Amino acid sequence: MNGYDAIVYDLDGTLVDLDVDWNAVAVDVREVYRDANVEPPGDGLWGMLETASDAGLAAEVESAIATHEHDGARTSDRLAHADELLERTVPAGVCSLNCERACRIALEEHALETAVDAVVGRDTVGTWKPDPEPLLATVSRLDADPERTLFVGDSTRDRKTAERAGVAFEFVGDGPSGL
């Protein structure tokens, strides 16, 4: 990680392991669709999130997901890269597919908030990963250049985000987790 002017970390699976049952989240989001008499676009959580705006359910779907994320952030497990974050000597940020408040809760729970100079979550800007906008917004908030920034993450989505943003990328562990 030497040679970079800033480092951006994904949150879940990189710095912490959120205690979230994503299958239960999907059940709750399907219920939001059903309560509105709208057929969900499928069983996949992210597909339901992506089409929620078109269905007029963006706020309700976001709220259902965020509630689980907030709770899961409070009981999350700290991962090894969190120690690295505390030892860093360059500006650091978090760019996550989780909502911003859940990111901040997890950072507070693990005494990491003072080590992070910028937090961008799913609801911070108008798009989410793998669109490059969230990562570029994080880099901008760090007053860094994309070409001199490293993004550390655990998923293929993270790698694709970095590629699209023109930011170097490093997997945690042995490679992608799947999202």
Side-chain angles (χ1 to χ4, degrees), residues 94-165:
V94 167
C95 178
S96 178
L97 190 56
N98 302 108
C99 69
E100 182 177 340
R101 182 69 190 125
C103 295
R104 292 187 182 280
I105 291 169
L107 292 169
E108 290 167 13
E109 286 294 323
H110 297 286
L112 300 171
E113 72 274 12
T114 60
V116 175
D117 304 298
V119 177
V120 173
R122 174 184 68 246
D123 54 345
T124 308
V125 296
T127 62
W128 54 78
K129 301 183 301 183
D131 189 285
E133 182 184 9
L135 180 54
L136 291 172
T138 310
V139 171
S140 177
R141 291 173 186 194
L142 295 173
D143 200 25
D145 292 320
E147 304 82 27
R148 303 281 308 144
T149 301
L150 175 66
F151 184 37
V152 179
D154 70 319
S155 69
T156 302
R157 182 185 296 255
D158 291 334
R159 186 187 73 221
K160 187 177 286 186
T161 303
E163 288 171 0
R164 290 177 175 177

Side-chain angles (χ1 to χ4, degrees), residues 26-43 48 55 57 61:
V27 167
D28 286 355
V29 170
R30 272 192 297 283
E31 193 63 31
V32 168
Y33 274 84
R34 289 194 180 108
D35 286 349
N37 290 322
V38 175
E39 185 65 30
D43 289 337
M48 289 188 283
L57 299 172
V61 166

Side-chain angles (χ1 to χ4, degrees), residues 63-79:
S63 178
I65 297 170
T67 296
H68 285 272
E69 290 175 332
H70 295 170
D71 292 343
R74 288 183 184 92
T75 57
S76 61
D77 292 322
R78 183 173 162 149
L79 300 175

